[in-house]
Amino acid sequence: MTTTAPDTVQELVEAWGAMGALWGINRSVARVHALLMATEGPLSLDEIAERLRISKGNASMSLRELRTFGVVRQVEAPGDRRDFYVTEPDVWTMFFRILRERKRREFDPALEAIHRLLARPGAQGEVRGRLQQMGDLLATVEGVVNRFLKDPASTRAALALVAGLPFDRRKKRT
Amino acid sequence: MTTTAPDTVQELVEAWGAMGALWGINRSVARVHALLMATEGPLSLDEIAERLRISKGNASMSLRELRTFGVVRQVEAPGDRRDFYVTEPDVWTMFFRILRERKRREFDPALEAIHRLLARPGAQGEVRGRLQQMGDLLATVEGVVNRFLKDPASTRAALALVAGLPFDRRKKRT
DNA sequence: TCGTGCGTTCAGAATATTCTGAACGTATCT
DNA sequence: AGATACGTTCAGAATATTCTGAACGCACGA
């Protein structure tokens, strides 16, 4: 039993998988990620596929995606031909990297359209105000994401403040 | 031509529709929303369906969803049997209301699983730290959402600060 | 009363997404 | 060389999501 507690791990895997949708990554990918998060040592591709009851092919593709997001890393075992995988420990970074990706693909076109509309001379009151709000919203999210990627520590602290969190946990790490 | 600029409006509609996925609302719903955002006066169901080339049924269901989110309102025209629709002007609120919804459905189970895992006595170092981070992340998002819904103005200002925005726009409104 | 205009519903069609597994490539060992 | 172990790929199957449009109900007016 290499993991904390099999059945609860299972629950986390499922919950994380469902939540993946929230930030736009698919169920399998998120489940693989959760499994690695909840497991101490590195896992081989086959073990992952087996534990999650998904095909090797699916596992392989999911791991690739996680690697391109930079949240999973391959490690090698001494005299073993297989590849093993571990998560980067930083979930926050993962979250924001993925957001940045989606920002590019989805925010930017929307922002462009909004600005184009605002530039039109004929943009009236009601509409103008709403468009501006949309722009503000997108710009704010964008700003937070960018700032986080530049300076994670301070952004995290700032967000904790905004969130009004007790703000104790975390061992410190500067 | 009741709207700012038909073709650019179209672009916004499509961009907003694509972006909808980001916060978990479907393309049609987001497109209807965008159309209302970019249009000065109220629109009838038929007009919406026609402009977006979607069926009346689809339009009806999309509008219902938008109404349950509280971002679209029905208005009546003088001697007209038809229902007309307008957006609430506050996109930010929409955004956070929707987040709250998803939070309920998706965050909460994940947070539960995490806490259950952390409660286990056997939660070791590596894993424990990662789980804690996941919990922090979720708690932070949750906190921001809750605070926004309680006190939008201050939260917006705070977020603008975090985002490092120029922070000028907006007519003021307290 | 019947007819007409309007909105809603929902079964099934259309479409999009995700997943599987067989086929393949490459490396390693005998 | 042949055999084995492993990872990857991708066409098509399986599944999930979204959309349509016919059927219906209701309210109004004639």
Side-chain angles (χ1 to χ4, degrees), chain A residues 8 11 22 36-37 39-40 91-92 102 107 116 120 126-127 130 133 136 147 162 169-170, chain B residues 8 11 22 36-37 39-40 91 102 107 116 120 126-127 130 133 136-137 147 162 169:
Chain A
T8 317
E11 282 172 29
L22 188 50
L36 288 170
M37 291 298 278
T39 304
E40 193 67 35
V91 199
W92 285 71
R102 307 205 71 195
F107 270 51
R116 195 150 17 192
R120 300 248 172 190
E126 266 293 307
V127 169
R130 294 198 293 244
Q133 263 206 33
D136 283 357
R147 170 155 169 214
V162 176
R169 45 196 119 206
R170 187 150 63 279
Chain B
T8 318
E11 282 173 30
L22 187 50
L36 288 171
M37 290 299 277
T39 304
E40 194 67 36
V91 198
R102 307 206 72 194
F107 271 50
R116 198 151 15 191
R120 301 249 171 188
E126 266 293 307
V127 168
R130 294 197 293 245
Q133 263 206 32
D136 283 357
L137 175 56
R147 171 157 170 213
V162 175
R169 45 196 120 208

Side-chain angles (χ1 to χ4, degrees), chain A residues 132-133 136, chain B residues 153 156 167-174:
Chain A
Q132 223 150 53
Q133 263 206 33
D136 283 357
Chain B
R156 263 181 78 165
F167 197 46
D168 14 285
R169 45 196 120 208
R170 189 153 59 282
K171 252 65 240 215
K172 200 265 300 305
R173 149 105 33 111
T174 307

Side-chain angles (χ1 to χ4, degrees), chain A residues 17-135:
Chain A
M19 219 184 49
L22 188 50
W23 58 55
I25 79 183
N26 94 359
R27 168 174 294 267
S28 288
V29 174
R31 297 206 320 146
V32 170
H33 181 239
L35 178 60
L36 288 170
M37 291 298 278
T39 304
E40 193 67 35
L43 292 176
S44 71
L45 189 144
D46 274 312
E47 197 167 350
I48 291 168
E50 193 183 338
R51 300 276 237 97
L52 299 180
R53 316 296 202 88
I54 62 180
S55 70
K56 242 182 5 146
N58 190 355
S60 172
M61 293 184 339
S62 296
L63 283 165
R64 174 143 56 100
E65 192 160 344
L66 287 168
R67 262 176 296 147
T68 71
F69 279 136
V71 296
V72 156
R73 198 162 36 88
Q74 266 189 34
V75 298
E76 1 222 300
D80 200 323
R81 294 227 262 119
R82 289 172 299 168
D83 300 338
F84 289 85
Y85 299 92
V86 292
T87 31
E88 297 295 344
D90 196 337
V91 199
W92 285 71
T93 301
M94 157 172 190
F95 179 72
F96 282 99
R97 286 218 189 113
I98 291 169
L99 273 193
R100 176 180 51 187
E101 199 55 37
R102 307 205 71 195
K103 190 180 76 55
R104 286 226 180 88
R105 292 210 299 268
E106 288 152 12
F107 270 51
D108 295 355
L111 260 176
E112 255 183 60
I114 288 171
H115 285 140
R116 195 150 17 192
L117 281 173
L118 283 173
R120 300 248 172 190
Q124 317 91 330
E126 266 293 307
V127 169
R128 181 172 199 84
R130 294 198 293 244
L131 291 177
Q132 223 150 53
Q133 263 206 33
M134 293 202 247

